Structure formats: structure tokens, C-alpha cells
Amino acid sequence: MTKWMDYLDAVKAYSASWEEPQWMTDLRISALEKIEQLPLPVIEKVKFARWHLYNVKPERQLEAGTIPNFDQMADNPMVVQAGDDTVFEQISPELTEKGVIFTDLMTAMKEHPELVKEYYMQKAVPIDENSLTALHAAFMNNGIFLYVPKNIVIEEALESLFIHNGNSDAHFFKHVLIIAEENSEFSYLERFESHGDEAKKLAGNVVVEVIAKPGARIKFSAIDTLGKNIATYMNRRGYLMRDSKIDWAIGIMNDGNIIADFDSDLIGDGAHSEVKIVAISTGKQIQGIDTRVTNKAPHTIGHILQHGVILEKSTLTFNGIGHILRGAKGADAQQESRVLMLSTQSRGDANPILLIEENEVTAGHAASVGRVDPDELFYLMSRGLAKDEAERLVIRGFLGPVLTAIPVKAAQDQLIATIEGKLKK
């Protein structure tokens, strides 16, 4: 068993190499002390204790080998990270003058320490939530910080791209911290992708914290395409205050094993979260996805829609959890989880869970695991389509709710191409 305090000097040296403030160094050390004391997260029906989620290498890492051609980038605000380093960053002077901050996390710690310290693993995802959140806090190696001031509406999408070097044996622990002040409104798109797959037994750990203050409106989209040799813990969490709303659209298209916590905590009256997730499992891949909405205040709304496709010998588990706490009168919790199985050797689970502690609420769920509707296939084939083409068309329609929610056309096309590629394997 790893003795995590043996990493103490390495963690201190890593923090010093970034010139981090003392509070961040102290937080890393505190998290390091907690890793062995805390349990693993609970993902029902998924056994992941022996995955290589703890393989870490606490030292500065080199850029990935393939970096985009920045001459072809659009004009919207964007940050690109390759390895540990930020290799591209752009934001218009107009947004900067309005107080919008969009930069890498390490820079934000130096230039806006009071904002980062107040919210980093304090409101949404605490460092001691489980062993993997503590591991993340101890060995985090950069990320994104986005701050949108009160009443600011941003028309163009803010975009981040994280490039993982799949030929390096280094861990990939990224953190995204988004703070939306009162009545702000914007769309944010993030992409995680691997370049290369020569290294073995890589560890990934991504934590995303979205703080939505009263009246804020956020459209959050993500496309995950990490490689086959990286086992990843993915934790995305919304902390929603009064009358705020987050629309989540997440495409899980990784090739490696994944466990994920996608949670929305509806803290304030009238908070609203719409969660749409699509996932495809291929090969011998295992994916376990917990999607939870917790109604903690009256008149809050939490809706979950999860659609997944399973091929070959892979496994996909959807756990949908709607939890209405005592005192959340007038709350609404709905969920739908559906899985299409395209192989007799695959395994799929769609587990609806409703936890209701209050009266005068609305709650419901739907879940199914099955095959492509033969009537739909017959109809399309009767119009002249080959069976494979008809099947892909049905599946694309099945995954459509997330495809149409991606705010950047190029990213939407990328997700469609990724889906097509997986279906053709």
C-alpha cells in the first residue's frame, strides 16, 4: 500500500515550482494526509477498487505532442492546456474590461487569490468528500478558472481544451472552477482529449466546480474523449443558489475505464438543473456514471436524461438519483435513463433511485435497457437505407438531446464524428 506522506516533500516541491500561495500548499498537504483515511466514492454496481486511479507522478509535465493550429482558431474566448502548460489563451478586451476572468488556474491563484481561495474545493466539492477528491487536491496539476461578474451576459461561447499526452506516464489531474455572479449568463464548452496511447496504466482525475449565484444562467457542455490507457475519476458538480439555472450537456466518449459523479446541489429557492448525458461504451471498457440532483430548497427543479449505447464486451451503468430533502416543498425531481445494447456480450444497467423526504413534491423516473427498435429499422430500410446506416441513424436520434445542446458548431460536428467512429469499430 502506498504511504502517501512519503510524497510530502515532492508535493511541497511541486507547489513551489508553481509559486503557489501558502494556503494552496497547506491545502495540498492537508489532502495528502486524508487520502488513506477516506473511503472510495460509491458507484453502485461498478467494481473499480483495483483500477490504477492512484498512479501519480508529482512533478512538472511536458506538453502533449500534438497542439492545435492556433491560426485556425475561432475568435471566441478560449484556453488550451497541453500537459501542465497553457499553450493558448484568448479573451477580448471588451470582456476583460467588464471584469470577466478566463485563464488557467495557476495564474488565477497568483492574480486573483481571494476568489480562488474562497471557492476552490470549499462550496461544491470538498477535499474530504472521498479518497479520490483528496487525491485530486493533493496532486492537481493545473486547470481553468472562469469568473463572470454580476449582470454580465456573454454571447459567444467560452471554450477550454485539455490535451492529455497519452504517450507520457504522468497523471492527468485537472480542475475547473467557474463562478457565475448574480444574473450573469453565458455558455461554456470544455473538451478533454488524449493524443497518443503508448503509455500504460495512467491515472486521470477531473473535478469541475460550477458556482451559480442567484439568477445566474449557465449552459455547460462537455465532450470527453480520453484514451484507452487512462482510468479516470470524473466529478462535475453544480452549486446552485436562488433562481439560478445550469443546463448540462455532456458527451462521454472516452475509450478507457471511467467512473463519474455528475451532481447538482439545488441550494436556493427556485434553483433549476437540467442534466443531459450521452455515453458510448466499446471494447472491454467499463463506465459507471452516477448522476444526482439534490433538491435542498423549495420549488427547485432537477431533471436528468441519460442515454447510452453499449457495443462489443463493454459495460455501462447509469445510476440516476433524485433526492428531495425535508423542507424542499414544491420540488420537482424527474429522471430518464435508457441504454441501447448492440451486442449480446455487453452489459448495461439503468438504475433509477428516488429519495423523497418531503410531501407536496413531484417526482418520477423511467429506465430501460434494450436493443434498437426493429420497427424503426424496418421503416428506414424500407426507404432504401442499408441496415448499418439505418442503425446509425436511429442511434444518432437516440443521442440527439445532447448533440443539439452543444453551443459550438465545430464541437458538435466533432461529437457526431466521434460517435460515428465508435459505431463503425
Side-chain angles (χ1 to χ4, degrees):
M1 179 180 291
T2 302
K3 294 182 179 180
W4 291 104
M5 291 309 293
D6 291 346
Y7 283 92
L8 180 60
D9 289 340
V11 167
K12 288 180 179 179
Y14 183 78
S15 184
S17 74
W18 282 108
E19 299 179 352
E20 292 179 347
Q22 187 60 45
W23 66 262
M24 185 62 185
T25 304
D26 293 342
L27 185 146
R28 287 185 184 274
I29 295 170
S30 175
L32 191 68
E33 294 170 346
K34 292 178 169 64
I35 296 172
E36 287 185 59
Q37 305 168 9
L38 295 167
L40 284 166
V42 176
I43 308 291
E44 294 292 342
K45 299 190 176 182
V46 182
K47 296 180 180 179
F48 59 91
R50 295 189 178 183
W51 292 6
H52 39 272
L53 293 166
Y54 291 90
N55 286 5
V56 294
K57 187 177 181 181
E59 58 188 47
R60 294 287 290 272
Q61 299 165 25
L62 299 176
E63 298 173 356
T66 306
I67 297 173
N69 181 353
F70 299 126
D71 292 337
Q72 299 176 1
M73 291 292 188
D75 293 331
N76 59 298
M78 188 171 191
V79 178
V80 179
Q81 285 184 9
D84 283 2
D85 296 326
T86 299
V87 296
F88 181 77
E89 185 174 315
Q90 69 180 9
I91 184 172
S92 69
E94 292 79 11
L95 290 179
T96 302
E97 289 173 5
K98 292 178 180 178
V100 177
I101 303 167
F102 189 38
T103 187
D104 68 85
L105 186 59
M106 299 306 191
T107 298
M109 275 187 220
K110 298 174 187 176
E111 298 182 356
H112 311 281
E114 69 291 340
L115 277 174
V116 179
K117 183 179 180 181
E118 182 178 357
Y119 294 101
Y120 180 83
M121 302 197 83
Q122 300 297 318
K123 298 286 187 183
V125 182
I127 65 170
D128 59 355
E129 181 169 288
N130 58 59
S131 180
L132 293 179
T133 57
L135 184 78
H136 174 92
F139 296 101
M140 180 274 296
N141 49 19
N142 216 341
I144 296 292
F145 178 75
L146 171 59
Y147 175 82
V148 181
K150 182 177 180 179
N151 297 326
I152 296 299
V153 177
I154 304 175
E155 299 296 337
E156 64 267 53
L158 299 114
E159 190 173 355
S160 64
L161 171 61
F162 297 87
I163 301 173
H164 164 245
N165 186 354
N167 298 326
S168 165
D169 61 353
H171 66 281
F172 183 78
F173 284 22
K174 303 304 172 187
H175 195 101
V176 177
L177 177 58
I178 298 173
I179 304 169
E181 291 287 359
E182 291 184 33
N183 301 313
S184 61
E185 186 173 343
F186 58 91
S187 295
Y188 168 81
L189 166 67
E190 68 183 21
R191 289 178 288 165
F192 290 91
E193 58 186 50
S194 291
H195 293 184
D197 59 5
E198 294 180 5
K200 305 297 182 184
K201 294 185 177 180
L202 306 176
N205 191 314
V206 175
V207 172
V208 177
E209 301 182 284
V210 184
I211 312 298
K213 294 194 177 181
R217 294 286 185 271
I218 303 167
K219 291 185 176 180
F220 182 107
S221 305
I223 303 173
D224 301 337
T225 56
L226 293 172
K228 64 182 180 181
N229 294 325
I230 179 169
T232 307
Y233 171 62
M234 185 79 66
N235 187 325
R236 290 187 170 107
R237 182 77 50 81
Y239 184 93
L240 292 85
M241 302 182 192
R242 175 178 48 81
D243 295 327
S244 64
K245 184 180 182 184
I246 303 178
D247 291 322
W248 304 86
I250 302 174
I252 311 297
M253 301 290 141
N254 305 288
D255 291 327
N257 290 344
I258 301 289
I259 52 169
D261 278 319
F262 298 141
D263 298 346
S264 296
D265 291 332
L266 307 179
I267 304 296
D269 289 15
H272 186 170
S273 178
E274 296 284 336
V275 187
K276 296 178 180 177
I277 296 172
V278 296
I280 296 181
S281 291
T282 61
K284 296 182 180 180
Q285 179 185 20
I286 299 171
Q287 296 192 95
I289 300 172
D290 263 21
T291 305
R292 176 190 295 268
V293 176
T294 305
N295 302 70
K296 297 186 175 184
H299 309 295
T300 48
I301 300 172
H303 294 166
I304 299 169
L305 184 145
Q306 302 180 112
H307 283 188
V309 177
I310 318 176
L311 300 95
E312 301 167 304
K313 297 181 180 180
S314 62
T315 299
L316 174 61
T317 300
F318 279 143
N319 297 312
I321 304 117
H323 191 179
I324 299 178
L325 300 185
R326 186 173 300 278
K329 288 188 180 297
D332 179 16
Q334 306 290 334
Q335 58 175 285
E336 174 187 320
S337 297
R338 302 198 184 278
V339 176
L340 278 182
M341 299 178 67
L342 302 184
S343 168
T344 57
Q345 296 179 296
S346 61
R347 175 180 173 179
D349 284 301
N351 306 309
I353 301 169
L354 287 175
L355 306 171
I356 312 297
E357 301 175 11
E358 185 55 271
N359 298 314
E360 301 176 34
V361 300
T362 304
H365 63 75
S368 67
V369 177
R371 306 199 179 278
V372 175
D373 189 332
D375 291 336
E376 291 181 353
L377 281 183
F378 177 79
Y379 174 81
L380 292 172
M381 292 170 66
S382 71
R383 295 301 186 269
L385 296 179
K387 182 179 179 181
D388 288 349
E389 188 177 358
E391 193 172 69
R392 285 199 301 272
L393 195 61
V394 169
I395 291 169
R396 187 187 290 189
F398 178 70
L399 302 179
V402 168
L403 295 178
T404 57
I406 302 295
V408 178
K409 180 62 165 60
Q412 192 179 99
D413 292 342
Q414 177 192 351
L415 180 55
I416 292 171
T418 301
I419 292 170
E420 292 287 346
K422 285 181 173 289
L423 295 177
K424 290 178 181 177
K425 286 183 178 179

